[in-house]
Amino acid sequence: AQTVTQSQPEMSVQEAETVTLSCTYDTSESDYYLFWYKQPPSRQMILVIRQEAYKQQNATENRFSVNFQKAAKSFSLKISDSQLGDAAMYFCAYRSAANFGNEKLTFGTGTRLTIIP
Amino acid sequence: GAGVSQSPRYKVAKRGQDVALRCDPISGHVSLFWYQQALGQGPEFLTYFQNEAQLDKSGLPSDRFFAERPEGSVSTLKIQRTQQEDSAVYLCASSWQGISPLHFGNGTRLTVT
């Protein structure tokens, strides 16, 4: 079974600065997807960024980018120019590519990000 | 609708009561998932539907949990004889299928007293 570990329960960053959230995972599969989700107090999980394991290039979405190290099974999220609206719980998630149609996700325990004005 | 809708938003049940949680997925979405999120934890998979077929229920914690999606759209998660450990946020998510993104609802927070 796959596991996802987020070792930072809480992080804080000054507004406009850069912060990196860590995530490691364990799997015996070679093909999979990794995600970062944001969960504000509304509880809705919002997709931030996604990475396909077969792609060597790190995914980027505006101020959000990842550092995907497949051999090390590491998938960190970098948030540049942090904004007050970035404050939320952030979850790292894994999805196997093997089960077509069953896109169930395995989540980490989350990191609470606080933005300091 | 514009997004995944869940109701009720909050539910308080006395221990031993039965509860039913509803999920309205985005129209046309084939895949539907239920997750349970305990306080301070990440969501954990409960069950998966492809249209009306329940293809994976490996995450349901006990036989008190039952889910259905009879017409391939709206889904109901039912918990019988609720226990305190059932207190959690229950999230529903839907997608077209395959590698298309999951869309989550706002969840139902269940508190069992």
Side-chain angles (χ1 to χ4, degrees):
Chain A
Q2 295 81 23
T3 59
V4 177
T5 301
Q6 293 178 252
S7 58
Q8 306 157 315
E10 296 183 357
M11 292 282 284
S12 61
V13 63
Q14 206 82 30
E15 192 176 2
E17 296 295 308
T18 295
V19 65
T20 298
L21 308 184
S22 301
C23 172
T24 58
Y25 59 94
D26 189 25
T27 184
S28 59
E29 300 177 328
S30 59
D31 197 12
Y32 49 86
Y33 302 90
L34 295 165
F35 305 84
W36 278 98
Y37 278 88
K38 169 184 177 180
Q39 187 178 43
S42 69
R43 302 198 300 254
Q44 186 181 29
M45 301 288 278
I46 301 165
L47 179 63
V48 174
I49 201 165
R50 154 184 159 160
Q51 174 81 42
E52 289 87 350
Y54 63 84
K55 290 186 178 178
Q56 291 190 335
Q57 187 172 10
N58 289 324
T60 300
E61 287 286 341
N62 301 314
R63 298 182 294 107
F64 299 87
S65 62
V66 298
N67 183 3
F68 173 47
Q69 301 288 329
K70 191 172 184 179
K73 296 179 182 174
S74 170
F75 183 62
S76 61
L77 174 70
K78 185 170 84 170
I79 306 174
S80 303
D81 184 26
S82 298
Q83 300 175 0
L84 294 178
D86 295 334
M89 285 291 292
Y90 285 81
F91 291 94
C92 179
Y94 172 102
R95 202 208 101 186
S96 170
N99 302 322
F100 180 76
N102 185 349
E103 308 95 52
K104 67 180 176 184
L105 299 171
T106 300
F107 287 89
T109 52
T111 297
R112 181 176 302 281
L113 179 63
T114 301
I115 310 297
I116 303 166
Chain B
V4 178
S5 177
Q6 292 188 246
S7 60
R9 188 150 171 79
Y10 299 92
K11 176 70 179 177
V12 178
K14 290 190 189 310
R15 189 163 60 92
Q17 283 184 333
D18 298 349
V19 298
L21 312 180
R22 178 187 169 105
C23 173
D24 277 275
I26 293 173
S27 178
H29 275 191
V30 170
S31 298
L32 186 145
F33 297 82
W34 285 97
Y35 288 86
Q36 180 190 56
Q37 186 176 17
L39 188 65
Q41 300 296 315
E44 292 195 356
F45 169 79
L46 291 177
T47 188
Y48 161 66
F49 289 87
Q50 189 175 100
N51 296 309
E52 69 279 2
Q54 189 176 21
L55 298 186
D56 187 345
K57 53 182 181 179
S58 61
L60 295 177
S62 77
D63 58 7
R64 296 185 297 104
F65 287 71
F66 172 76
E68 60 182 5
R69 193 185 184 198
E71 297 177 358
S73 55
V74 171
S75 178
T76 304
L77 177 66
K78 297 179 179 178
I79 309 173
Q80 297 177 321
R81 304 181 303 281
T82 52
Q83 304 294 315
Q84 281 196 313
E85 61 263 28
D86 300 335
S87 295
V89 172
Y90 291 85
L91 294 167
C92 177
S94 70
S95 74
W96 286 108
Q97 204 170 10
I99 61 172
S100 56
L102 274 180
H103 298 260
F104 282 83
N106 288 336
T108 294
R109 182 180 295 280
L110 172 65
T111 303
V112 181
T113 60

